Amino acid sequence: MGGRGGWWRGKSTPAKVETYTRWSFHTFPFIEVATFALPAFGYVPAPVNWILFLLVSTHAAVAAVTASLTLDWTRGRRPLPVRLLWALGTATVVIAVVSLVVALHGPRGADNGAAAGTVFVGVLSFGIGTLALAVRGTRRMVYGVLVAAVGAGAVAVPAGVSAPGAAVAAGAVVLAGGFFTFTSAFSVWLLNAVYELDEARETRARLAVAEERLRFGRDLHDVMGRNLAVVALKSELAVQLARRGRPEAVEQMVEVQRIARETQREVREVVRGYREADLRTELAGAQGVLTAAGIDCEVSGPVTGLPAEIQSALGWVVREATTNVLRHGDAARCAVSLRVAKGRVTLTVENDGAPGIGSGSGTDTAEPGRGSGLAGLRERLREVDGVLRAGPAGSDLFRLTAEVPLPPDSVPEQAPAPEPGGSPRPVPHPVSEVTS
């Protein structure tokens, strides 16, 4: 689906929350004008009604621009618009007072007093709520609302409002201004919280990758460090013996050669263990990690009984696909299925929340060179004559499919899928980071 729906689905969750927050504040000016300015045309004579309309519209426009720029400041994209905030505060006070005086002392209408009070309270409330976007701390916000309410009562009496009316106006400012201040504070808190959660998810994935890299580095250090130290010692001994013309130098060099070959063998074993992946373990790890990340993960199909090389290749597919779901898109559901039919085993990983995917594509093939992770998976599957397909599979779905032919004498056992309560291993892997 193209157009507006595709534009919305292409956004991440933080971007959607930010868009919703911004458009909510963009609607406030229309609410302010419709609630406090337009009704004046019904019971206030001209030109007072037009004056009130223009004053409220001007205040609403200034508040809209201030809200937009201040939201940019909350996300660290621009400096705090101090001058604009002062301009809004000044405009709020001036417009509220002028509206009150014009309505009360201008041409008399059927209900000038009600119009004056409504515009006065409305302008102050929306102004306070917008200014709260630039305030940090609940106490400061409360003080701001109380100061505005006291100021409203103090200004209303000299302008011609009775003492009870001024008290009612102050109370209305507390209620309406407090509501809009709470709305602004909660919106900023929610926006920041969503971005922080998204950054935490990215950090968790990067830490898992870094942890696996450290494990591999420790294994290599354990193998290479000890053996290289022995090689250096025996080589130094062989040099000293050779300088003295001792025949034992040859024996020492033979020992160095043996240690070097043994080191080669141990390094191969470390790399082989690093590259091989047990399919059942990877499925349990994927389910555990995705569930911990708040993604509903379902695993189905036979797991055991596959040849070791096929399990290793498919385990890598699960590992890379899980990394991809964690690091990209905004998935809420992920389904992993394993199916054996007609001498082929098919692994499918499907998740929703794929960014930038429109419906109706129907394609299941990834672009060449779209990411080193997919290229690495294709190379691994090619070693077992397998193929990899990846691409959109619906409105906001992404599907990765790996097919591997089975040897004629291989018959997998039907085993239950891994339980969520299993002990998962870290799924993201440092060799490559998938970009679907």
Side-chain angles (χ1 to χ4, degrees), residues 17-214:
V17 174
E18 181 175 356
T19 302
Y20 174 79
T21 302
R22 286 183 176 277
W23 280 105
S24 297
F25 281 99
H26 291 336
T27 60
F28 282 0
F30 300 98
I31 297 175
E32 183 177 0
V33 173
T35 305
F36 303 114
L38 292 181
F41 286 94
Y43 47 79
V44 178
V48 176
N49 48 15
W50 282 104
I51 294 176
L52 294 178
F53 177 78
L54 292 176
L55 289 175
V56 175
S57 299
T58 302
H59 180 266
V62 175
V65 175
T66 304
S68 179
L69 297 182
T70 308
L71 283 174
D72 285 340
W73 168 73
T74 62
R75 297 304 315 143
R77 295 169 187 159
R78 67 169 67 244
L80 181 65
V82 178
R83 293 182 179 179
L84 191 57
L85 289 168
W86 276 106
L88 175 62
T90 304
T92 299
V93 175
V94 172
I95 291 175
V97 173
V98 171
S99 301
L100 187 64
V101 172
V102 169
L104 290 178
H105 301 285
R108 305 302 296 174
D111 202 353
N112 280 35
T118 302
V119 172
F120 184 67
V121 172
V123 169
L124 285 177
S125 301
F126 273 95
I128 295 168
T130 305
L131 291 173
L133 291 172
V135 178
R136 292 293 176 267
T138 305
R139 183 175 300 178
R140 293 181 179 181
M141 295 181 184
V142 172
Y143 288 162
V145 174
L146 293 179
V147 168
V150 173
V155 169
V157 173
V161 180
S162 63
V168 171
V173 170
V174 169
L175 294 177
F179 171 76
F180 286 116
T181 298
F182 171 79
T183 301
S184 298
F186 180 76
S187 299
V188 172
W189 174 83
L190 179 62
L191 183 61
N192 291 333
V194 171
Y195 270 104
E196 288 173 4
L197 288 174
D198 188 66
E199 291 172 2
R201 185 177 66 174
E202 292 288 334
T203 302
R204 181 176 57 238
R206 287 194 296 268
L207 287 177
V209 172
E211 182 181 355
E212 192 68 8
R213 286 174 175 166
L214 288 175

Side-chain angles (χ1 to χ4, degrees), residues 201 204-205 208 281-300 317-337 347-352 398 400 418-428:
R201 185 177 66 174
R204 181 176 57 238
T281 302
E282 294 299 331
L283 287 171
Q287 193 170 34
V289 169
L290 292 177
T291 301
I295 300 173
D296 183 18
C297 181
E298 298 179 0
V299 178
S300 60
V317 174
V318 173
R319 181 183 296 177
E320 296 284 8
T322 304
T323 303
N324 194 39
V325 173
L326 286 173
R327 292 179 62 89
H328 308 285
D330 183 29
R333 182 187 63 84
C334 180
V336 183
S337 63
L347 174 70
T348 303
V349 181
E350 184 176 280
N351 65 278
D352 61 357
F398 188 87
L400 187 145
E419 295 295 331
S423 56
R425 57 175 293 179
V427 174

Side-chain angles (χ1 to χ4, degrees), residues 1-12 15-16 19-20 23 356:
M1 180 185 298
R4 188 177 305 172
W7 165 79
W8 178 257
R9 283 195 300 269
K11 290 179 175 291
S12 63
K16 289 178 179 178
T19 302
Y20 174 79
W23 280 105

